Structure formats: C-alpha cells, structure tokens
C-alpha cells in the first residue's frame, strides 16, 4: 500500500514543479490551487507514514502514532476545504464569501485533534478508527454538498470544460469515500485527493492553459491599442488644418505637440504595466486633442499625487474616456464635463474613476454591460462588437491585477461613472 502512496507523492511533486516553475497570474483562484498542491502533498506524505506506523503498533510509540494520525487527518480536512474554496471561487468569483464553511473547517480540525483514536487490527492490515474518523466523513460530506450546490446554482454560467472537471472531481471523491466507509482497510483517501488535484491541474491550471491566457491578454492589449479609431487621426489632422487657417503657428504647434505626445506614449506595446503618472500623461494628451474637436466639453483631474508611481495596466483608461466623448456626451451635443479621479481606497487597492455628465446607458444597455463585465471569463475574446473595449479592459484588469480588481459602472442623475478598481501590489510581467 505504501508503494501506491509513494507513487502518488512522486506524481504530485512533478505536478508541483511544473506548476510553480510556470508563470501564474496573481489572483485568488491560482493562489488557492497553489496552497492546495502543497497541502495535498503534505497529506500524502503523512498518509504514507501513518500507513506504516499503524501496521507497526508494537514498535511505534502510541503518542507518536497518534500525533502523526491527527496531522494526517487535519491536512485531509484542509485539502477538502480548499477544493470547495477553489470551486466556490471558480463558480462565483465576485461573490462575498460565507463564513460558515470556515467555521466548519475550524470545528472539524479541532475535533480531529481532540477526539479519541482507536485502532483495528486485522489479518489484512490495521487502520485507525473512532470518533475522529466520523468527523472526517461528516466534513467531506458537507463540503461535497456545498460543491454540488455551487455547481448546480451556477451551471449555466460555467463552460463545458468547467462543468466536466467539477463533476468528475466530485464523482471521484464520492466513490472513494463510499469505498473507504465500506472497506476501511483499503486506505485510498490519498488516491481520491490526488485524482481531484490532477483533474484540476490538467484542465484548468496546466501551464499550456495559463500561457494561453497570457497570449490572449497580449492580443487584447495589442488590439485595444489598434482601437484608436482612424477617424480620430483624420479628424484631428483636419482640425489642425482648420486651426492653421484661422490661427497662428502657435496653435498649430500645440496641436502637433499633443498629437506627437499621444502617439509616442501609446506605442509602448511591450509594457504591460506602467506608472499611473505615465497613464495620466497619455490620457491628458488624448483629452486635450479631443477637446479641440469638442471645445464645449470641460475636463477636470483629481489625482492623488501619492499614487503617481503605482503600476496600472497600460492603455487602460483611454477606451473608457473615448466612450465618454463619443457616446456618453453625444446626445447632449458634445457639451458637458468629464472628470478623472484617482485615489486610494485602502492599503491594498486604488480606484480610477472616469465620470461624464452625459445621459448614460439605457436600462437595457446597463443590464447588458453589467452582465458582460460580471461574466467576462465566460465570454470569448472578440475582435468586433459594440462592447469590445469594455470586455477587453475587464479581461486585462482581471488577468494583470487579480480577481478582486475590475471595471464596473454606476450612474445617477449627475451622469455615468466608470470605476476601475486596481490592486496596488501587482506581479510584474
């Protein structure tokens, strides 16, 4: 039996080496899987050790045997909880987490550490038994029920791959638990945890999948940069021509300078993250050019100077400001105000707000935008469509800054506000 455990340990060690040696986005989902890999490895190691000690009760001191078993059981409980946590975040990434599963985890670990352990000796081998074992069965059953609930509740929002992976993993763990209850001597709990871990790794967390996400992210960034409408360039040049006729060279010089500034700043394709000051410089050049075209639009800035060196995704604000100019204020005859704000939310997050005094979205359009931004991960990367800019902005924010960052919209009688929430400490790419 120990041979099987050793083989499982070697397999998961290889998986861990491959996983940790490959770039992983710094977000909640991947962080949970990282911890899960480590915990399952620890569980397998103590599983192998306890299989040996329980079959040598006459030579292994009872206290040492009991301590090893309690560590083994506790790590199993943590592993099952982490599986639930992963599935919960995967199916409901934006939902505020319930504390009940954590309470169950603490209660089960405490019970496993204090309840008495008994050992059953048979001709086929020995195994541990007693109240602490029932705690594990109850714990696994509760977390499996929670996982099934998450799967069924969010079934339509999941991709076919995600449905298949979660369903397979839960089925495997359920079968293993039933066999373990019927035949305690089988001692195959480690096999169940390993198969569940491998199913997630091979489908959702493998290096090829993560690299594919990075390729999509870079394609999205390149495409966003290409979204500077050619008409913007033509109209700006036409504005320069008209100004050259009506004004002196100083006006023309200023327009040309801002146009050059904008394109000079926007061609830094190889940089995924830039300082907020650089992003604001690009935005200011763009807005100044647009205000020549729409002189009755006022622009105002309120940026916390302490945030100037904080990293933000490159070219993340321009598509949203362009929406404010070309859509938000269109029905008001391109008259109104656009306000740019950047401020610290707390020690971990900052927020950039782009507010315009336009008419905002219709109720139907607002619902479509909210749904798209919330379910961004379930939508394929597209090269056309009315909301391509918003979708790509959301995807890039999530990939570069983590699941807790993101784009959202609010609106009231004063206009529409785009909220860009960004983590302050991002992993550099």
């Amino acid at each position: 039996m120990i041979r099987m455990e050793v083989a499982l340990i070697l397999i998961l060690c290889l998986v861990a080496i491959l996983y940790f040696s490959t770039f992983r986005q710094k977000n909640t989902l991947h962080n949970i899987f990282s911890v899960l890999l480590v915990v399952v490895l620890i569980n397998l190691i103590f599983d192998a050790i306890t299989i040996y000690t329980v079959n040598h009760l006459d030579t292994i001191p009872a206290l040492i045997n009991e301590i090893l078993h309690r560590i083994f059981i506790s790590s199993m409980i943590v592993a099952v909880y982490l599986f639930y946590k992963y599935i919960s975040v995967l199916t409901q990434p934006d939902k505020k987490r319930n504390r009940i599963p954590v309470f169950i985890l603490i209660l089960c670990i405490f019970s496993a550490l204090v309840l008495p352990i008994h050992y059953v000796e048979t001709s086929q081998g020995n195994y541990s038994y007693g109240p602490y074992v029932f705690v594990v069965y109850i714990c696994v059953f509760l977390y499996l029920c929670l996982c099934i609930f998450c799967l069924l509740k969010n079934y339509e929002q999941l991709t076919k791959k995600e449905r298949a992976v979660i369903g397979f993993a839960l089925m495997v763990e359920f079968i293993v638990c039933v066999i373990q209850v019927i035949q305690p001597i089988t001692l195959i709990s480690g096999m169940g945890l390993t198969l569940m871990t491998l199913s997630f790794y091979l489908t959702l967390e493998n290096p090829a999948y993560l690299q594919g996400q990075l390729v999509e992210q870079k394609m999205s960034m390149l495409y966003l940069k290409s979204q500077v409408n050619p008409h913007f360039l033509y109209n700006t040049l036409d504005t320069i021509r008209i100004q050259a006729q009506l004004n002196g060279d100083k006006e023309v010089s200023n327009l040309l300078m801002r146009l050059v500034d904008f394109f000079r700043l926007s061609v830094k394709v190889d940089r995924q993250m830039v300082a907020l000051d650089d992003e604001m410089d690009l935005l200011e050049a763009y807005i100044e050019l647009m205000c020549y075209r729409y002189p009755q639009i006022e622009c105002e800035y309120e940026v916390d100077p302490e945030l100037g060196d904080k990293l933000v995704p490159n070219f993340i604000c321009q598509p949203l400001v362009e929406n404010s100019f070309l859509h938000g204020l269109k029905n008001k005859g391109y008259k109104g105000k656009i306000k740019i704000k950047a401020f610290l939310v707390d020690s971990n997050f900052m927020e950039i707000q782009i507010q315009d005094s336009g008419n905002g979205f219709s109720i139907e359009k607002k619902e479509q935008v909210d749904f798209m931004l919330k379910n961004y991960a379930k939508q394929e990367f597209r090269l056309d469509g009315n909301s391509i800019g918003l979708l790509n902005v959301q995807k890039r924010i999530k990939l570069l800054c983590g699941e807790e960052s993101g784009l959202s919209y609010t609106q009231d009688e004063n206009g529409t506000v785009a909220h860009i929430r960004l983590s302050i400490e991002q992993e550099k790419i």
Side-chain angles (χ1 to χ4, degrees):
M1 184 65 71
I2 292 181
R3 292 177 181 176
M4 182 189 74
E5 304 301 322
V6 172
L8 295 177
I9 291 171
L10 293 176
I11 291 171
L12 272 196
C13 281
L14 177 60
V15 169
I17 291 171
L18 293 174
Y19 187 72
F20 289 115
S21 63
T22 304
F23 171 78
R24 296 171 293 106
Q25 288 82 17
K26 190 177 181 181
N27 63 35
T28 304
L29 199 62
H30 301 314
N31 289 341
I32 292 173
F33 190 79
S34 299
V35 178
L36 175 62
L37 263 179
V38 174
V39 172
V40 174
L41 271 172
I42 293 172
N43 176 261
L44 289 174
I45 292 170
F46 279 93
D47 191 6
I49 293 173
T50 54
I51 288 175
Y52 175 83
T53 61
V54 78
N55 285 290
H56 295 79
L57 296 174
D58 53 338
T59 59
I60 303 296
L63 179 60
I64 293 178
N65 201 15
E66 183 174 321
I67 291 174
L68 293 173
H69 267 84
R70 293 191 189 280
I71 295 175
F72 162 64
I73 290 298
S74 297
S75 64
M76 183 187 300
I77 293 173
V78 174
V80 176
Y81 165 76
L82 288 172
F83 276 115
Y84 157 73
K85 185 75 172 177
Y86 185 94
I87 293 173
S88 175
V89 173
L90 178 67
T91 55
Q92 305 172 92
D94 299 320
K95 183 178 179 182
K96 187 175 181 180
R97 301 300 155 199
N98 195 321
R99 293 186 179 182
I100 293 179
V102 179
F103 175 75
I104 295 174
L105 172 68
I106 296 173
L107 181 62
C108 289
I109 291 178
F110 177 77
S111 301
L113 292 175
V114 300
L115 291 176
I117 300 177
H118 307 299
Y119 298 100
V120 177
E121 299 183 49
T122 70
S123 58
Q124 297 176 319
N126 306 335
Y127 59 90
S128 60
Y129 200 68
Y132 94 118
V133 175
F134 293 111
V135 168
V136 178
Y137 291 148
I138 293 172
C139 175
V140 171
F141 174 76
L142 288 175
Y143 283 128
L144 285 178
C145 289
L146 289 172
C147 291
I148 293 171
F149 175 76
C150 288
L151 174 62
L152 296 178
K153 183 179 179 181
N154 303 279
Y155 190 80
E156 295 299 326
Q157 298 179 20
L158 297 173
T159 64
K160 290 182 180 180
K161 178 189 288 187
E162 290 168 344
R163 295 172 190 169
V165 172
I166 296 174
F168 173 79
L170 295 179
M171 180 183 67
V172 166
E173 186 62 17
F174 178 77
I175 293 174
V176 167
C177 289
V178 170
I179 294 175
Q180 188 76 59
V181 171
I182 297 174
Q183 289 289 337
I185 195 62
T186 55
L187 302 176
I188 58 172
S189 63
M191 181 186 296
L193 294 180
T194 303
L195 288 175
M196 289 182 73
T197 304
L198 284 175
S199 66
F200 283 114
Y201 171 75
L202 293 174
T203 54
L204 302 178
E205 294 289 336
N206 66 81
Y209 182 78
L210 297 181
Q211 290 297 334
Q213 283 187 315
L214 289 179
V215 170
E216 178 182 299
Q217 167 188 309
K218 291 179 179 179
M219 285 179 60
S220 173
M221 182 175 182
L222 289 170
Y223 182 73
L224 277 174
K225 287 177 177 291
S226 74
Q227 287 298 289
V228 180
N229 196 317
H231 292 294
F232 162 67
L233 177 58
Y234 302 148
N235 289 330
T236 301
L237 291 174
D238 191 51
T239 303
I240 293 174
R241 179 185 62 81
I242 294 172
Q243 290 292 342
Q245 294 175 349
L246 300 177
N247 302 310
D249 288 343
K250 184 177 180 180
E251 197 77 24
V252 174
S253 176
N254 288 337
L255 276 168
L256 283 172
M257 181 182 67
R258 299 314 284 162
L259 183 61
V260 170
D261 285 345
F262 175 78
F263 282 105
R264 176 176 55 81
L265 292 166
S266 68
V267 295
K268 298 175 182 176
V269 178
D270 59 323
R271 295 173 58 187
Q272 298 280 11
M273 307 292 288
V274 297
L276 178 64
D277 280 344
D278 291 338
E279 182 72 3
M280 288 296 110
D281 286 343
L282 182 144
L283 200 58
E284 186 176 350
Y286 174 79
I287 288 175
E288 190 170 330
L289 287 168
M290 292 297 285
C291 285
Y292 273 104
R293 183 179 173 189
Y294 304 112
Q296 292 181 296
I297 296 179
E298 299 178 21
C299 290
E300 182 180 332
Y301 299 87
E302 190 177 315
V303 179
D304 186 346
E306 298 292 327
L307 299 176
D309 61 345
K310 300 301 180 184
L311 295 180
V312 301
N314 193 2
F315 217 70
I316 205 71
C317 296
Q318 187 275 337
L320 308 183
V321 173
E322 183 176 35
N323 282 344
S324 293
F325 271 105
L326 302 183
H327 302 294
L329 296 168
K330 180 178 180 180
N331 292 334
K332 288 196 171 183
Y334 301 105
K335 299 177 182 178
K337 176 183 287 189
I338 295 176
K339 185 173 184 178
I340 313 296
K341 296 177 64 177
F343 55 90
L344 191 67
V345 177
D346 53 40
S347 58
N348 298 317
F349 291 92
M350 62 178 286
E351 182 170 310
I352 301 173
Q353 291 184 359
I354 300 168
Q355 179 178 5
D356 67 68
S357 58
N359 293 327
F361 301 107
S362 65
I363 295 177
E364 181 181 357
K365 183 64 176 177
K366 179 65 164 57
E367 291 177 352
Q368 292 175 356
V369 169
D370 289 343
F371 180 83
M372 178 191 67
L373 294 178
K374 181 179 180 181
N375 299 281
Y376 72 95
K378 314 304 177 187
Q379 302 185 47
E380 298 296 330
F381 175 77
R382 297 176 291 126
L383 296 180
D384 54 19
N386 294 331
S387 301
I388 180 63
L390 301 185
L391 177 61
N392 284 347
V393 166
Q394 182 76 317
K395 280 177 173 282
R396 291 184 58 232
I397 292 174
K398 295 289 186 178
L399 286 168
L400 289 169
C401 303
E403 293 296 330
E404 295 182 358
S405 300
L407 169 66
S408 62
Y409 274 90
T410 60
Q411 60 184 30
D412 54 29
E413 64 277 2
N414 297 319
T416 304
V417 183
H419 303 265
I420 306 175
R421 177 181 172 88
L422 302 171
S423 60
I424 292 178
E425 298 297 333
Q426 298 100 6
E427 186 171 322
K428 293 184 179 180
I429 299 177

